[in-house]
Amino acid sequence: MATPARATTSLVRQEAGWVTRLLTRSASTLEYQQLKFTIHRKLLERINLDRLAALSEDQMRVEVRVAVAHLVNAEETPLSMSEKERIIDEVLDEVFGLGPLEPLLQDPEVSDILVTTPRLVFVEKNGKLLRTPVEFKDNAHLIRIIEKIVSRVGRRIDESSPMVDARLPDGSRVNAVIGPVAVDGPILSIRRFGRDPLQAEQMVRNLTMTEGMMQLVRAAVAGRLNIVISGGTGAGKTTLLNVLSGFISEEERIVTIEDAAELQLRQVHVARMETRPPNVEGVGAIRIRQLVINALRMRPDRIIVGEVRGEEALDMLQAMNTGHDGSLTTIHSNGPRDAISRLEVMLGMANSSMSVQSIRQQVSSAIDLFVHVSRFSDGSRRVTHMTECVGMEGDVCTTQDIFLFEKSGITKDGRTIGRFRATGIRPRFYERLRSAGQALPQSMFQTIVEIS
């Protein structure tokens, strides 16, 4: 069995061309980093910020580039033309972007950027984790980049509040942790979204789900069923939520509620809200539960909650049960049954006096369909369950699977193989969809699609 070090080396070799291109933008020697920061400091000392504020962003970049070029040429350290260009580019990245992370952010194939320490930066590329040659000068350099990210969205990070969730302008989610919580140095995780939101047809082509499964969820959204998307971390819950939200009519008013706004809805009539952390005095926090309650006063046709993870589950389910049909949300779980168990725990947190039977009745009457998505060892994501919540049978929430993905093995090159299988069960909400004008062929509940 290969050791982690050998496995990492093997992966880096597979991506040799990409790493070589990245190396042209990143140097790891202490002298190089020191020279770059010296030029950056001199630039900040000499630049006229008031004059730059009156310029457009493009003009500002031109002016700063000229100033940096003068400073580089004035340095006594002998540099080749390519080294000078590299320093100029990296100083501009420090001023206008996120410093050493900019080359990674410009690569459309990089899905996650994981900074474990200032000297240890990994990315996920084509479903695999790769170590990059990107490095930060020190902890202070990395903290400065983190502060630049979080300040853009009105958040803060310091010793009294050492963890923060934020987002980049493109919607990518950011999590940062600094000392005293982070032991070996600041930790930064960037979960990226594609520049072009994934379309339903692409998910079918990628074998995330079959055409029949896509027809079912399209009809379920249009027919105003309440849907919960479940899955583990990095399984693609938010991506799938974005795709499903695309089936909502342009004529409906949509209210979205998130910890950090990352949904990429294409409709025009969308009212977006996000939570707010407490201020320096520890007050002023706005939680998802408050936003869900407020959303009910905003005349929504649809309520979309980015993720339920606490007491807000009660208000979300009550909204589903009181006329706000067609709501969508996501939840962390290992499967549909586990999602129900987690919802029961969340409802108990919100109202400890509720009986178990009352909690389960809330869940079974509110939710129509669970869509569970999983990530496999080869980096592929697939919808493994489409499960209907049927109702109560005694004290138990009963469910029935409509579609399943059954994994049968792994090929020699590491690809996951298996089959999508319709269970043959026609969902109980089938007639409800028909009455809403969403006719589905009976044959779709009998199909099997092999993946080899």
Side-chain angles (χ1 to χ4, degrees):
M1 182 176 176
T3 63
R6 288 178 181 172
T8 302
T9 303
S10 174
L11 289 173
V12 170
R13 283 173 181 164
Q14 292 173 22
E15 299 287 341
W18 173 70
V19 172
T20 301
R21 290 195 301 274
L22 196 57
L23 276 167
T24 63
R25 299 274 324 265
S26 298
S28 58
T29 63
L30 218 53
E31 296 82 357
Y32 177 88
Q33 294 282 4
Q34 189 60 50
L35 175 60
K36 186 176 70 174
F37 274 84
T38 299
I39 293 170
H40 186 204
R41 188 184 67 253
K42 289 180 180 178
L43 175 69
L44 295 178
E45 291 171 353
R46 300 184 187 185
I47 205 164
N48 187 334
L49 294 177
D50 293 332
R51 179 174 172 274
L52 285 178
L55 302 177
S56 67
E57 185 174 344
D58 289 339
Q59 291 174 319
M60 197 185 305
R61 278 184 172 273
V62 171
E63 292 280 339
V64 172
R65 188 176 188 87
V66 170
V68 174
H70 283 308
L71 291 172
V72 170
N73 290 328
E75 282 295 320
E76 296 180 357
T77 306
L79 297 169
S80 66
M81 286 299 296
S82 62
E83 289 173 331
K84 289 180 179 179
E85 283 296 318
R86 188 167 70 221
I87 286 183
I88 292 171
D89 288 340
E90 292 189 8
V91 172
L92 287 173
D93 286 343
E94 292 288 341
V95 175
F96 295 105
L98 300 182
L101 299 180
E102 280 300 312
L104 304 177
L105 292 169
Q106 298 305 315
D107 189 337
E109 295 184 357
V110 171
S111 54
D112 293 336
I113 301 172
L114 309 171
V115 184
T116 306
T117 68
R119 304 288 183 189
L120 199 60
V121 180
F122 286 82
V123 298
E124 182 182 305
K125 191 178 174 70
N126 299 322
K128 296 180 180 178
L129 278 180
L130 303 169
R131 182 175 179 176
T132 74
V134 171
E135 292 184 359
F136 292 82
K137 180 172 181 269
D138 49 28
N139 286 350
H141 183 199
L142 179 51
I143 289 175
R144 189 160 63 247
I145 297 299
I146 292 171
E147 289 174 342
K148 182 182 287 191
I149 294 171
V150 302
S151 63
R152 288 175 178 173
V153 291
R155 308 215 169 184
R156 66 185 180 87
I157 187 166
D158 52 40
E159 287 189 4
S160 63
S161 181
M163 299 180 292
V164 68
D165 287 314
R167 68 179 187 276
L168 297 179
D170 65 357
S172 299
R173 70 181 77 168
V174 177
N175 176 268
V177 184
I178 64 172
V181 175
V183 177
D184 298 319
I187 304 170
L188 176 65
S189 306
I190 301 177
R191 306 285 305 282
R192 300 187 66 200
F193 295 101
R195 295 178 182 178
D196 299 316
L198 200 64
Q199 304 294 320
E201 295 75 15
Q202 292 173 282
M203 297 197 85
V204 174
R205 286 198 301 270
N206 296 342
L207 294 175
T208 301
M209 63 175 73
T210 65
E211 180 61 41
M213 297 166 79
M214 185 60 74
Q215 286 180 12
L216 179 62
V217 292
R218 182 185 283 112
V221 173
R224 301 185 65 83
L225 299 188
N226 294 320
I227 301 173
V228 173
I229 300 170
S230 60
T233 300
K237 298 185 298 298
T238 303
T239 299
L240 184 56
L241 181 59
N242 273 321
V243 171
L244 266 56
S245 67
F247 302 141
I248 299 175
S249 168
E250 287 281 358
E251 299 175 358
E252 298 183 65
R253 173 174 169 82
I254 306 169
V255 177
T256 68
I257 299 165
E258 302 171 80
D259 268 330
E262 58 195 21
L263 290 173
Q264 299 170 303
L265 273 63
R266 294 180 288 277
Q267 290 84 349
V268 175
H269 199 168
V270 179
R272 306 169 72 203
M273 295 189 291
E274 70 176 351
T275 60
R276 188 181 74 182
N279 60 18
V280 179
E281 288 79 27
V283 297
I286 298 176
R287 307 298 184 192
I288 281 187
R289 187 173 191 183
Q290 297 167 268
L291 295 179
V292 172
I293 294 170
N294 189 75
L296 302 178
R297 307 183 183 120
M298 297 172 65
R299 197 257 173 224
D301 290 310
R302 307 268 188 162
I303 298 175
I304 300 178
V305 179
E307 182 183 338
V308 289
R309 57 167 66 93
E311 298 176 349
E312 67 274 3
L314 175 61
D315 304 286
M316 182 71 190
L317 293 184
Q318 286 183 332
M320 291 176 174
N321 278 324
T322 54
H324 293 89
D325 295 331
S327 297
L328 302 168
T329 189
T330 72
I331 185 172
H332 276 270
S333 77
N334 295 322
R337 291 300 314 179
D338 186 50
I340 292 175
S341 299
R342 287 210 64 213
L343 284 169
E344 291 174 2
V345 171
M346 293 176 194
L347 266 62
M349 291 165 56
N351 190 339
S352 58
S353 63
M354 287 180 68
S355 67
V356 173
Q357 186 171 14
S358 297
I359 289 174
R360 290 175 178 171
Q361 284 175 340
Q362 282 280 330
V363 174
S364 63
S365 62
I367 298 168
D368 299 302
L369 181 65
F370 286 94
V371 180
H372 186 77
V373 59
S374 297
R375 173 180 167 171
F376 293 90
S377 57
D378 61 353
S380 63
R381 279 95 168 167
R382 293 196 172 92
V383 174
T384 58
H385 295 76
M386 282 192 180
T387 303
E388 180 184 18
C389 190
V390 178
M392 293 286 292
E393 193 172 292
D395 292 337
V396 179
C397 291
T398 58
T399 62
Q400 58 184 15
D401 295 325
I402 304 168
F403 287 99
L404 295 170
F405 175 77
E406 299 170 337
K407 178 181 174 182
S408 59
I410 298 176
T411 63
K412 291 181 179 179
D413 57 357
R415 290 186 299 107
T416 299
I417 57 175
R419 66 175 184 168
F420 288 102
R421 179 175 67 87
T423 60
I425 298 173
R426 192 181 75 174
R428 293 193 183 183
F429 55 67
Y430 182 80
E431 293 302 325
R432 181 176 162 190
L433 294 182
R434 282 189 63 187
S435 64
Q438 301 298 320
L440 294 172
Q442 295 271 8
S443 59
M444 66 181 284
F445 301 111
Q446 306 290 334
T447 57
I448 293 178
V449 177
E450 298 282 349
I451 297 177
S452 56

